[in-house]
């Protein structure tokens, strides 16, 4: 069994974990990791959150997550489709998702995350998008050498068996849709071909 919070591999998704962990609100009781994969981020979250639920549609990934977390209190893993799974409304203080939302209907997934978040809670989404404008292509080309070097130096890999899909939305489409669904959200594009959305749900 892996130790809770252990980092057994590195890749461009894992690179975003420290920022997600820093975004966890103080006194966070319940967190949800959407598209949790093998549960690496969920295990890290448990050091800052009382209870963490991870959900993923891949039976293989959920089986691996449960194996790694065997005997660990406060961690629950659900196999299922996030858009239709039986999850509580306004049940979580913190919701995160890393490179999973492009596997789903983007707007439906964001809307469900918004509904699942408690008033005053925080949402952090890290995702993939495609280049569609000269500016987006220029940013990708400029970052390409640094991305390649970082992957080689950090020996980027794993986990094996993780489902993959090509993003259908452009960075601009992602930003515009998120602004419409999450008023006041903060959008940022990162060096290693990822973007992030951060949103604090208004308190009642």
């Amino acid at each position: 069994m892996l130790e809770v919070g252990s980092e057994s591999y590195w890749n461009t998704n894992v690179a975003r974990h420290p920022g997600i962990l820093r975004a966890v609100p103080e006194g966070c009781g319940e967190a949800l990791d959407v598209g949790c994969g093998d549960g690496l981020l969920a295990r890290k979250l448990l050091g800052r959150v009382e209870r963490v639920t991870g959900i993923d549609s891949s039976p293989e990934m959920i089986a691996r997550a449960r194996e790694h977390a065997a005997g660990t209190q406060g961690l629950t893993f659900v196999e299922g489709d996030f858009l239709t799974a039986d999850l509580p409304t306004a049940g979580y203080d913190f919701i995160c998702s890393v490179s999973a939302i492009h596997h789903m209907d983007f707007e439906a997934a964001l809307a469900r995350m918004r509904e699942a978040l408690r008033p005053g809670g925080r949402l952090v989404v890290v995702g993939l998008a495609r280049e569609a404008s000269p500016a987006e292509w220029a940013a990708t080309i400029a970052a390409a050498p640094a991305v390649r070097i970082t992957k080689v130096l950090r020996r980027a890999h794993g986990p094996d068996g993780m489902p993959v899909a090509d993003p259908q939305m452009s960075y601009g489409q992602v930003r515009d849709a998120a602004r419409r669904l999450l008023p006041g959200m903060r959008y940022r594009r990162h060096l290693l071909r990822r973007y992030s959305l951060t949103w604090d749900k208004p308190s009642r």
Side-chain angles (χ1 to χ4, degrees), residues 9 11-21 32-42 44-45 55-56 94-104 113 123-128 158-159 162-164 190 192-197:
Y9 57 86
N11 56 39
T12 49
N13 293 326
V14 175
R16 302 264 49 90
H17 287 185
I20 293 170
L21 296 174
L32 176 67
D33 182 6
V34 178
C36 64
D38 67 348
L40 178 60
L41 178 56
K44 294 177 181 180
L45 284 168
I55 182 169
D56 201 289
F94 183 71
I95 298 176
C96 61
S97 181
V98 179
S99 296
I101 198 168
H102 69 285
H103 290 259
M104 300 176 265
M113 292 177 196
L123 169 65
V124 179
V125 175
V126 172
L128 294 166
M162 184 74 79
V164 296
H190 299 279
L192 300 177
R193 300 200 70 188
R194 298 293 183 273
Y195 67 81
S196 64
L197 312 173

